[in-house]
Amino acid sequence: ALGGSHRMRDVLQTNDAWIAEPLRKLLTEGQESGAFSIDNIADAANTILGGVLLAVLNRSMSGTDTTDPPFLRQISEQTVQGVLRR
């Protein structure tokens, strides 16, 4: 299983503590303020993280700059549009 090894578990726990938990907190605050329309905070956070990961990995594998400002702006805008209340 993906999380079966001790090393992978450590990586996943670190990811959860430093990346996923703050994102879930941000999404919860946005939902509570009425700015975001989210049914399930955990699923939304995982979807956002997965989408960003794939976008960055694809650029990295193709040798394209993953820190390119237009790219970062585009994935940021697409991510936010996915949770904004309509």
Side-chain angles (χ1 to χ4, degrees), residues 4-71:
S5 74
H6 181 66
R7 177 182 258 170
M8 181 57 80
R9 248 179 301 171
D10 289 345
V11 168
L12 292 173
Q13 287 173 342
T14 300
N15 173 68
D16 191 70
W18 289 94
I19 300 171
E21 182 57 29
L23 177 58
R24 287 190 297 266
K25 195 172 188 179
L26 174 71
L27 294 173
T28 299
E29 291 171 6
Q31 181 185 41
E32 289 172 352
S33 74
F36 295 162
S37 177
I38 300 170
D39 292 329
N40 184 299
I41 297 294
D43 287 344
N46 288 335
T47 299
I48 289 168
L49 292 172
V52 170
L53 175 64
L54 287 175
V56 170
L57 284 174
N58 186 41
R59 284 183 74 93
S60 181
M61 289 177 58
S62 68
T64 309
D65 184 6
T66 59
T67 63
D68 178 45
F71 166 69

